[in-house]
Amino acid sequence: MGTPDFSVPSLEALIDHGYRVVGVVTQPDRPRGRKRELTPPPVKRAAEGRGIPVFQPEKLRDPEAIRTVLAMEPDLVVTAAYGQIVPQAILDGPRHGCINVHASLLPKYRGGAPIHRAVIDGEKETGITIMKMVPELDAGDILTQRAIPIDERDHAGSLHDKLSRLGAELLIETLPAFLSGRIQPIPQNEDLATYAPNIRREDEWIDWSQPARKVYDHVRGLHPWPVASTIWRGAPLKIWWVEWTDAASDRSPGTVIAAGREGIEVAAGQGTVRITELQPAGKKPMKAEEFLRGRRMSVGERLGQR
């Protein structure tokens, strides 16, 4: 069970290592892009390319959907970013149960956006957890874990790619010992649990009163999707990338300090931020220098004011 690009390496690894995948369960096709064309999830495309049957229930908890999954008679269900709660009837069905490939070092960052939230929070390390599934959000016993550093220049997209590959590798390493009963699952420490809720529209707005480093982490944590935003002259302005310094400024947070070839320098709560890539409404992303060739952004203007 899986839906986005994150799930694809795990599916392909299972197939390539000789595991017989009897079916793939994924979310229904959804409208995408400006033309709102019905688009299949990445896992569906990968599965169909390998000749594997695909099942796309709108709601997995519906009795008919449950019967369809159990009729495949899986020995084990592997999930990776599926996007729906797996009902107890399915958790109880396979003789080896259900396991999940989760993109954090549980019990930290349970929930739907562990990669984005770890970068936004300025974490220095994250990883993959293979865990047994239970009827609570990412709370099952841990089978295996592997950590990786979050580099200074990592963003949500680059970290996603690293973790999706790591998840596939760790899944393949874990399965032989798990299926033969040689792994002793470890309960999670509930006292250390934190949560990573899905990114909402209001999470995208930059708070210029934050220290420059926090603004940098916020922007890279939302890059390349959904992308951080601010307000300029009453309209949204997407901010694709920034640099930051501790250089002090006596201007109010959000004030443009300089605008030129190197970018647009903006005062933060502490330090300054230089916008280097941005996207006006209705336009493609562009370098700040290109943006300034077609528009005048004056020193002293305030960003983020509605």
Side-chain angles (χ1 to χ4, degrees):
M1 294 181 179
T3 300
D5 288 317
F6 179 84
S7 320
V8 173
S10 289
L11 171 63
E12 293 181 335
L14 288 169
I15 299 167
D16 293 342
H17 285 77
Y19 291 97
R20 190 169 72 89
V21 180
V22 297
V24 163
V25 181
T26 187
Q27 298 271 19
D29 297 0
R30 305 289 190 200
R32 304 283 185 199
R34 290 186 176 181
K35 296 182 179 179
R36 308 302 293 162
E37 293 179 348
L38 209 57
T39 304
V43 165
K44 179 182 180 180
R45 294 196 299 269
E48 290 183 336
R50 301 292 193 109
I52 297 172
V54 175
F55 179 46
Q56 297 176 274
E58 190 68 45
K59 295 179 180 178
L60 187 60
R61 66 174 181 271
D62 285 349
E64 182 60 32
I66 293 172
R67 282 193 290 272
T68 300
V69 172
L70 296 179
M72 298 179 192
E73 298 184 340
D75 293 325
L76 171 71
V77 168
V78 177
T79 70
Y82 170 53
Q84 290 191 40
I85 298 295
V86 178
Q88 185 67 53
I90 292 179
L91 297 180
D92 293 339
R95 64 189 176 103
H96 290 295
C98 302
I99 65 174
N100 183 43
V101 181
H102 185 77
S104 82
L105 297 174
L106 292 172
K108 294 186 72 174
Y109 295 105
R110 295 174 178 176
I115 300 174
H116 291 82
R117 299 288 182 186
V119 179
I120 291 171
D121 289 350
E123 294 281 1
K124 303 300 183 187
E125 180 184 74
T126 185
I128 289 290
T129 300
I130 310 291
M131 48 165 282
K132 297 186 71 173
M133 294 184 68
V134 296
E136 297 178 48
L137 182 65
D138 298 327
D141 292 351
I142 295 169
L143 301 176
T144 51
Q145 282 186 320
R146 184 165 300 163
I148 61 169
I150 300 177
D151 296 336
E152 179 69 16
R153 302 285 293 181
D154 265 329
H155 49 72
S158 63
L159 192 58
H160 166 280
D161 293 348
K162 292 178 183 178
L163 289 172
S164 64
R165 293 191 295 269
L166 180 64
E169 293 171 8
L170 189 59
L171 174 64
I172 296 305
E173 292 176 19
T174 301
L175 279 178
F178 172 67
L179 295 174
S180 62
R182 290 182 282 115
I183 290 181
Q184 179 60 49
I186 300 172
Q188 295 186 37
N189 184 342
E190 293 296 322
D191 294 337
L192 301 178
T194 63
Y195 290 89
N198 289 326
I199 302 294
R200 304 159 300 177
R201 182 70 181 100
E202 55 265 37
D203 294 324
E204 299 170 18
W205 299 111
I206 294 173
D207 180 358
W208 295 105
S209 69
Q210 291 289 308
R213 172 63 202 228
K214 293 289 292 181
V215 173
Y216 171 70
D217 290 338
H218 182 88
V219 169
R220 69 191 185 113
L222 298 177
H223 178 98
W225 182 89
V227 184
S229 294
T230 190
I231 295 291
W232 179 55
R233 297 180 181 174
L237 182 66
K238 285 186 173 291
I239 306 299
W240 280 74
W241 198 255
V242 299
E243 308 290 347
W244 71 282
T245 76
D246 284 325
S249 169
D250 58 359
R251 307 302 296 269
S252 299
T255 301
V256 176
I257 301 170
R261 183 173 298 176
E262 301 300 321
I264 301 165
E265 289 191 30
V266 182
Q270 296 171 22
T272 60
V273 172
R274 178 184 294 138
I275 301 170
T276 58
E277 294 180 51
L278 70 173
Q279 181 182 11
K283 302 292 183 180
K284 294 181 178 179
M286 62 185 73
K287 299 291 185 185
E289 181 182 3
E290 180 185 354
F291 172 82
L292 292 171
R293 280 201 295 267
R295 301 163 186 80
R296 182 178 180 81
M297 181 177 279
S298 304
V299 172
E301 283 191 84
R302 290 281 298 276
L303 301 182
Q305 290 191 315
R306 297 171 185 267

